[in-house]
Amino acid sequence: MKKVVLATFLTCAVASCLPLASAQGASPGAQAAPVAAPAPAPAAAPAADPCAVPPMAAAEYAVYTNANTQTDPKAKAAALEQYLTQFPQSAMKVFTLETLMALYGNPPISDAAKTLDAADRLLQVAPNDLTALAVEAGIRKGQADPITDATAKQAGYDSAASYAQKGLAATKPQCTPDADFNKLKANYYPTFYSIVGYAAFSKKDTATAIDAYKKELAFVPLDATKAVGQPLQDTFYLGEAYRFATPPDYLNCAFYESRAIAYAPANFQAIMAPTAKYCYHKYHGPNDDQYAQLGTIAAANLNPPADLGTTIKPAPTPADIATQVIATTPDLGTLAPGDKEFILQYGTPDQAAKVWGIVKGKSFQFDNVLVIASTPTQVQVAISDDAVQGKTADFTFNLTPPEDIPELKASATAVQKAAYNKKVAAAKKLADDIAAATQPGKNVTLTGMYDSFTPSPIMITMKDGVVVLSKATPAKPAPKPAARPAARKPAAR
């Protein structure tokens, strides 16, 4: 007998939905889907056939026939288990275990644990059985999805992916016709690739995720990539894998997510659009002028055309921006501090030298800047927008030392001692006020003189730094009470 295969045992359980979310959100699943159980085995083939099933003894045949003619799925499963117990070396063991997988994996039984047990036993005798590998990968992936512990969740995904990888590497069993094996591959390979891709994506192995998702899309018919289902969902995840790659590939992210948007239902388009536009802006800049064009190109192509990088223009590089600023600013001394810093950081050595020559040795006041770190002699602050957003220092102010107060002589008079104590108290109060004003996270006003800089990472050092403390508003004197008029003496009569 030729080996019976179940080409439709496993299908993607999300074929009718598209649960899309951010990088680490909802994931594609693959669960066992309802199918009819295999029919009873045909009569034994001629003994000369290498794939023939040896004739059964009468006692075994009676038990086997009785089990396969049961009409109630639960009774049939119990009878088949009893058959395997009685005849553990049966030539029909593979076929029987496949039948049990189908019975356990479908209503009215629908028992994942028993389905996995049947798949485990089947793989012990038929390690290349694609259906059993698909059942293992799909159910284990589904069991991992609701786990909340990150380590256990990833372990579940990795377990599912290991079975999917075995499925992709499995060779055709000797007695399975080529046409049947190709049908199995067509049915299971997309889910195998999907599970491998998601397991890798979940642990930030974006290179493996990208490879798996692209192989999945290349394997399925083109129309399947445009219909609601697993391939369309994984098109979005492919874009996400490019977004989180090292370094990020924002153009490919924007392309694949735009393609998913082109064919997704309207409610999912709204969920995906912000991420697609984010990647587009990271690549192209803040202008939306080519966003619609990118969507049109993505809808018409499964993968990015070779000229996409020149059709959709990249944003100007920081070096381009520095060159443009210098070319369009007649007096570089009028540039804002952040613009000067930008050129020092991203300009050519000549451009940086030109700007530094203008500011070096010049004093400047910086109002309301964010303190990152401070000591009694130094304050590090964030001044540029990028530094403020990243909470990293880009300026260091070396503070002017406090006034040196000479020690009193032993012969000091009482007046001199009083003056000394007053100076010491004032110096301490000033130091305390400066320390309070320069606590990390506060905003402070500083003055200083440009002294030196390093471009990468950018750090501009100021000397003669002074913390400008806000002056307390003097209290208004209390109004004087109005003068009461003098008592009038009564007139003389």
Side-chain angles (χ1 to χ4, degrees), residues 429 469-477:
K429 182 178 184 308
L469 298 172
S470 58
K471 294 180 180 179
T473 304
K476 293 182 179 180

Side-chain angles (χ1 to χ4, degrees), residues 132-227:
L133 292 167
V135 166
E136 295 273 6
I139 291 180
R140 291 175 189 276
K141 167 65 174 60
Q143 290 176 334
D145 284 334
I147 296 175
T148 55
D149 178 77
T151 301
K153 188 182 192 77
Q154 189 60 54
Y157 286 150
D158 288 341
S159 175
S162 70
Y163 284 96
Q165 288 163 337
K166 290 175 184 177
L168 292 169
T171 57
K172 183 181 76 67
Q174 179 184 4
C175 296
T176 299
D178 290 345
D180 288 350
F181 192 67
N182 288 335
K183 287 179 182 178
L184 287 171
K185 289 167 62 176
N187 196 47
Y188 299 144
Y189 270 32
T191 298
F192 286 150
Y193 284 127
S194 177
I195 291 174
V196 170
Y198 195 79
F201 178 60
S202 295
K203 58 186 176 185
K204 298 181 175 60
D205 180 4
T206 54
T208 299
I210 289 168
D211 178 70
Y213 285 141
K214 292 193 78 171
K215 285 177 178 176
E216 174 191 350
L217 296 181
F219 193 86
V220 300
L222 182 61
D223 286 345
T225 68
K226 303 177 183 179

Side-chain angles (χ1 to χ4, degrees), residues 47-336:
D49 185 347
C51 296
V53 177
M56 284 185 182
E60 179 182 349
Y61 186 77
V63 175
Y64 179 80
T65 302
N66 174 67
N68 276 287
T69 53
Q70 297 292 322
T71 56
D72 177 71
K74 294 181 180 180
K76 184 171 184 176
L80 288 174
E81 292 286 12
Q82 180 60 35
Y83 167 70
L84 290 177
T85 299
Q86 285 185 249
F87 304 97
Q89 304 304 319
S90 168
M92 298 302 297
K93 187 171 186 176
V94 169
F95 177 81
T96 302
L97 288 169
E98 286 182 329
T99 305
L100 283 168
M101 276 198 315
L103 290 169
Y104 290 141
N106 291 290
I109 301 178
S110 300
D111 187 319
K114 288 185 175 181
T115 308
L116 281 178
D117 176 67
D120 288 341
R121 287 182 284 161
L122 177 52
L123 290 173
Q124 290 175 8
V125 293
N128 287 330
D129 190 291
L130 283 189
T131 301
L133 292 167
V135 166
E136 295 273 6
I139 291 180
R140 291 175 189 276
K141 167 65 174 60
Q143 290 176 334
D145 284 334
I147 296 175
T148 55
D149 178 77
T151 301
K153 188 182 192 77
Q154 189 60 54
Y157 286 150
D158 288 341
S159 175
S162 70
Y163 284 96
Q165 288 163 337
K166 290 175 184 177
L168 292 169
T171 57
K172 183 181 76 67
Q174 179 184 4
C175 296
T176 299
D178 290 345
D180 288 350
F181 192 67
N182 288 335
K183 287 179 182 178
L184 287 171
K185 289 167 62 176
N187 196 47
Y188 299 144
Y189 270 32
T191 298
F192 286 150
Y193 284 127
S194 177
I195 291 174
V196 170
Y198 195 79
F201 178 60
S202 295
K203 58 186 176 185
K204 298 181 175 60
D205 180 4
T206 54
T208 299
I210 289 168
D211 178 70
Y213 285 141
K214 292 193 78 171
K215 285 177 178 176
E216 174 191 350
L217 296 181
F219 193 86
V220 300
L222 182 61
D223 286 345
T225 68
K226 303 177 183 179
V228 174
Q230 179 180 290
L232 184 60
Q233 177 175 264
D234 288 344
T235 300
F236 179 83
Y237 279 102
L238 175 57
E240 287 288 87
Y242 276 114
R243 176 159 76 105
F244 291 104
T246 304
D249 186 336
Y250 291 116
L251 180 58
N252 272 316
C253 166
F255 174 86
Y256 285 108
E257 294 191 1
S258 293
R259 181 169 174 83
I261 290 171
Y263 297 105
N267 56 326
F268 290 106
Q269 289 178 354
I271 296 172
M272 294 183 285
T275 307
K277 187 162 280 191
Y278 168 84
C279 287
Y280 165 82
H281 285 156
K282 291 292 288 185
Y283 171 79
H284 179 71
N287 197 319
D288 284 349
D289 59 332
Q290 289 192 295
Y291 185 66
Q293 182 183 5
L294 175 63
T296 301
I297 294 171
N301 295 273
L302 178 62
N303 294 298
D307 62 349
L308 183 65
T310 54
T311 302
I312 307 300
K313 304 293 185 184
T317 65
D320 293 336
I321 295 172
T323 299
Q324 183 182 20
V325 169
I326 288 179
T328 57
T329 307
D331 182 2
L332 297 179
T334 63
L335 289 173

